[in-house]
Amino acid sequence: MFRVKIQKASKRFQNEWVFKNLDLELVSGTTMAVTGGNGSGKSTFLKCLSGAIPLTNGSMEFELDSKSIAQENWFRTLSIATPYLELPEEFTLVEALNFHFQFKRPLNQWSVKEIIVHMGLEKHQNKFISQFSSGMRQRVKLALALFSEVQLILLDEPTSNLDKQGIAWYADLVAQYTLDRILVICSNEPREYTFCEKKIRMEDFK
C-alpha cells in the first residue's frame, strides 16, 4: 500500500499565500481532481507534491507498506505530465523512450516498441521530437507518465492540445492503467476528471 500524507501544507511566494492549511491523505487506488481558477495554485500544489519545490509550512510524507520514503527518493515513486514539462527535442521518439526508461521501469515490462504501439505513433518512431506536433508531444508526455511503473501519477491539464481522438485515447488509458495507483489531476475541464472519486478546490485553501 502506498500512502501520501499531507498536513497543514502551505505555500507562499514572497508575501502572497498560494494555498494554506491543506490536509489530505491519499492511498493506492485513489483518483483525485484538483480544481480551481487560473492562478489558484493548482500547478504549484502539484510541484510541491512532486517534491520539485518545497512547502513554506506543513509537511508531506510518502509511505510504502508503512515505511517512510525520504524526500530525495520521491521521484522514484512518481511520474508527471504537465504543459511546462519539456521533452528532449534532439531525440527521436525511440531515443526519448529509451532514455526515460533508464530511470523508470516500464509498466507490465513492456518493450519500447510495445509502448509506441500503445501511443499510436508507430509511423513516427524515428522522427525527432522537434518535428512533433503539440498533440503528438502531449501523447508522449502522457504515455511516459502512465506507462511508468510508479505508485503516484500527477497530471496537469492532460488533454491540452489533444484532438477528439486523442481525448478518447487519454480516457481509455486512464481507465485501463491507473488501477491500484494514486492519480492526481489538476484541471478545469470536467472531461479530464469526471471519473475521479475525490475532488478539492484550491480556493478552499486560501
Side-chain angles (χ1 to χ4, degrees):
M1 174 73 73
F2 186 74
R3 187 185 307 272
V4 177
K5 293 181 179 180
I6 302 172
Q7 295 181 310
K8 303 299 181 185
S10 305
K11 181 62 181 178
R12 181 180 65 194
F13 289 121
Q14 297 181 344
N15 295 322
E16 182 179 354
W17 288 99
V18 183
F19 57 86
K20 294 175 68 176
N21 298 323
L22 196 160
D23 291 314
L24 193 63
E25 184 166 322
L26 305 171
V27 297
S28 299
T30 299
T31 54
M32 185 182 77
V34 181
T35 66
N38 293 338
S40 62
K42 299 187 301 297
S43 296
T44 298
F45 170 69
L46 205 70
K47 290 176 182 178
C48 290
L49 186 54
S50 73
I53 60 176
L55 292 172
T56 303
N57 293 320
S59 65
M60 291 190 183
E61 185 176 357
F62 285 21
E63 291 182 357
L64 182 60
D65 298 331
S66 300
K67 294 180 180 179
S68 182
I69 301 171
Q71 186 170 349
E72 59 265 26
N73 291 321
W74 287 3
F75 75 95
R76 301 180 190 279
T77 69
L78 64 86
S79 60
I80 186 167
T82 74
Y84 46 84
L85 179 71
E86 295 293 337
L87 295 170
E89 295 196 343
E90 69 276 16
F91 285 179
T92 64
L93 178 58
V94 169
E95 291 170 340
L97 266 62
N98 280 328
F99 179 74
H100 175 82
F101 288 113
Q102 290 180 32
F103 305 96
K104 294 281 195 289
R105 287 195 300 269
L107 191 67
N108 299 331
Q109 298 183 329
W110 284 333
S111 67
V112 165
K113 183 177 181 180
E114 288 172 314
I115 291 172
I116 290 174
V117 170
H118 280 283
M119 295 165 66
L121 295 175
E122 305 97 300
K123 296 179 180 179
H124 307 282
Q125 60 183 348
N126 294 313
K127 183 182 290 187
F128 289 103
I129 298 294
S130 61
Q131 298 174 304
F132 277 26
S133 68
S134 57
M136 291 165 66
R137 291 176 190 230
Q138 186 64 13
R139 279 188 179 242
V140 175
K141 291 180 184 182
L142 290 171
L144 292 177
L146 290 163
F147 295 150
S148 293
E149 192 177 280
V150 294
Q151 290 87 5
L152 173 62
I153 302 169
L154 307 175
L155 305 180
D156 195 352
E157 300 179 6
T159 64
S160 59
N161 299 314
L162 293 181
D163 58 15
K164 185 176 180 180
Q165 183 180 18
I167 293 169
W169 172 81
Y170 156 77
D172 185 58
L173 289 192
V174 168
Q176 290 191 62
Y177 302 116
T178 60
L179 298 177
D180 300 323
R181 302 199 276 179
I182 298 172
L183 175 65
V184 178
I185 300 172
C186 292
S187 174
N188 283 324
E189 288 284 350
R191 70 188 182 198
E192 298 179 339
Y193 63 81
T194 49
F195 52 84
C196 288
E197 60 190 39
K198 184 188 291 282
K199 297 179 178 67
I200 63 170
R201 294 175 65 253
M202 292 308 297
E203 285 88 352
D204 293 336
F205 302 97
K206 297 297 184 182

